[in-house]
Amino acid sequence: VQNEHAGEHGHDGREIDEHRGARDGQHLECAVERDVGQHRGHHAQKQDGQHEGRVRHGLHDGAQIVPVLEQRQHTERRRAHQARDVCALKGRKAVGAGAAGLSAALGMLRSEQMQALKEAGIEPNILVISKLQPLRSHTGSAEGGIAASLGNVEKDDWHWHYFDTVKGGDWLVDQDAAELLAKEASETVIDLEHDGVAFSRTEDGHIAQRRFGGHTKDFGKEPVRRAAYAADRIGHQILFSLWQQCVAEGVEFAEEWYVTDLVITEDGSKVEGVVAFDTHKGQTHAIHARNVLLATGGAGRLFHTTSNSWDLTGDGMALALQAGLQLEDSEFVQFHPTGLAHTGILLSEAARAE
């Protein structure tokens, strides 16, 4: 479904490998541990008025060596902790926490397959990795609306939406994907409403819709009100609602982790997981997964002038290429049709539709 703009859970500082165990075969009990030697010190004791014990590290009569030993123990533990290979729970990983990554995680959890696993006593593990705090994803900047042929304000048809989508892509669009988008857009918008998106309303209480550039009726004959909106903050509403639903469903988050590598088998036939860098702790983690979904947004920052936020640097595309995989339709780059030259400042949708 179109947006106007293209973007441990509670690990709370804890390492992923703390979630060990063999819960219904889903957990991977894999952590390389190193023994931290125990340093034991003895206080210098006075006996018959005389100090017994050796002078250590320049600490003389009456000096306490316990704080020094505690500091050493802390240092050793920290070094061993950093040297540990971290292996995550086997499960599904989504890289990217915008609308695409969050809705994918939520949709996966609510799927029939996942429900069957839960009924069998197997709790699925889904981790969303994001280089930003999820609520700072670029999805939050979308203002105009989300296209769906609800027909709440005037007659509309998904076939017309389908036509507009294919035409808008200069007839190069994957038409099967465009058909799926147009067909399921209305149901998706209603699902978003049920998940908490506060859409603007018509006088009779239905989801309000307005005109938008490129939305037409009767296969291009005249404009139609198709964009479902929430004042001027539809992206903000969608992002917050999806994130809240993911938290409620138990999706785990690795916030402000930067994925550096996509791990695949030698023959390139299967994904094994990702390598990610925790920007808070300066630690690198190997995360094993049965499935990996890349939902990392666009690459608008390749260009000098763009309305995309600073984080849209094509990371997911680079990960795929670095792993020896192919990209499809990389020539499709979203540009906002009406903006001020050299600044990236956008003009109102009213300039094209209203």
Side-chain angles (χ1 to χ4, degrees), residues 316-327:
M317 304 175 197
L319 287 172
L321 291 173
Q322 184 179 350
L325 304 177
Q326 296 181 352
L327 298 181

Side-chain angles (χ1 to χ4, degrees), residues 139-144 197-198 210 229-238:
T139 297
S141 69
E143 298 178 351
V197 176
R210 61 187 176 196
Y229 62 97
D232 62 347
R233 51 183 178 276
I234 182 64
H236 178 275
Q237 285 283 342
I238 291 175

Side-chain angles (χ1 to χ4, degrees), residues 94-98 100-102 128-131 137 293-296:
V95 181
L102 295 179
V128 175
I129 303 174
S130 175
K131 69 177 181 180
S137 299
L293 172 73
L294 297 180
T296 56

Side-chain angles (χ1 to χ4, degrees), residues 285-326:
H285 303 273
I287 303 174
H288 189 276
R290 286 192 175 94
N291 306 96
V292 175
L293 172 73
L294 297 180
T296 56
R301 281 292 157 182
L302 288 173
F303 300 89
H304 180 269
T305 302
T306 178
S307 60
N308 289 182
S309 61
W310 289 100
D311 58 293
L312 294 183
T313 51
D315 300 347
M317 304 175 197
L319 287 172
L321 291 173
Q322 184 179 350
L325 304 177
Q326 296 181 352

Side-chain angles (χ1 to χ4, degrees), residues 44-297:
Q45 298 178 349
K46 292 183 179 180
Q47 199 173 59
D48 296 329
Q50 299 294 324
H51 288 291
E52 292 184 8
R54 294 171 298 176
V55 176
R56 297 171 183 171
H57 300 288
L59 299 177
H60 296 280
D61 297 331
Q64 296 292 321
I65 66 171
V66 174
V68 177
L69 293 175
E70 289 178 348
Q71 183 178 8
R72 287 181 186 170
Q73 289 175 339
H74 174 74
T75 302
E76 291 297 326
R77 284 195 298 268
R78 180 171 55 82
R79 289 175 179 172
H81 190 58
Q82 292 176 344
R84 188 176 298 166
D85 292 334
V86 179
C87 297
L89 305 175
K90 273 190 176 181
R92 284 80 180 168
K93 307 291 176 278
V95 181
L102 295 179
S103 60
L106 202 56
M108 191 182 303
L109 268 180
R110 293 174 175 176
S111 66
E112 294 180 0
Q113 294 87 339
M114 288 297 179
Q115 294 303 319
L117 285 177
K118 291 181 179 180
E119 292 173 2
I122 301 173
E123 193 67 27
N125 301 307
I126 297 180
L127 174 67
V128 175
I129 303 174
S130 175
K131 69 177 181 180
L132 301 175
Q133 202 285 332
L135 297 180
R136 295 188 62 80
S137 299
H138 191 55
T139 297
S141 69
E143 298 178 351
I146 180 170
S149 54
L150 294 167
N152 288 346
V153 179
E154 57 183 312
K155 182 180 178 180
D156 201 356
D157 190 291
W158 73 263
H159 293 89
W160 302 342
H161 185 187
Y162 178 24
F163 171 83
D164 291 337
T165 304
V166 175
K167 181 184 177 183
D170 201 25
W171 312 101
L172 298 174
V173 170
D174 181 335
Q175 295 192 16
D176 292 333
E179 180 181 5
L180 186 68
L181 179 147
K183 254 185 180 179
E184 297 192 2
S186 296
E187 183 180 351
T188 300
V189 167
I190 293 172
D191 287 343
L192 287 171
E193 178 192 27
H194 293 171
D195 282 336
V197 176
F199 287 101
S200 296
R201 299 287 172 173
T202 61
E203 291 184 1
D204 59 359
H206 289 84
I207 295 174
Q209 294 179 278
R210 61 187 176 196
R211 290 179 179 177
F212 211 76
H215 294 176
T216 69
K217 63 169 64 175
D218 294 330
F219 305 102
K221 290 184 179 179
E222 58 181 302
V224 68
R225 291 174 173 82
R226 182 178 297 150
Y229 62 97
D232 62 347
R233 51 183 178 276
I234 182 64
H236 178 275
Q237 285 283 342
I238 291 175
L239 185 63
F240 271 67
S241 296
L242 289 175
W243 178 77
Q244 289 168 351
Q245 290 295 326
C246 284
V247 172
E249 293 279 358
V251 174
E252 298 189 37
F253 287 90
E255 298 178 358
E256 297 185 339
W257 284 33
Y258 197 96
V259 175
T260 60
D261 293 279
L262 182 64
V263 182
I264 60 175
T265 55
E266 290 186 5
D267 61 0
S269 63
K270 182 181 177 183
V271 69
E272 296 289 349
V274 298
V275 177
F277 179 73
D278 182 350
T279 61
H280 288 268
K281 297 182 179 180
Q283 297 174 356
T284 301
H285 303 273
I287 303 174
H288 189 276
R290 286 192 175 94
N291 306 96
V292 175
L293 172 73
L294 297 180
T296 56

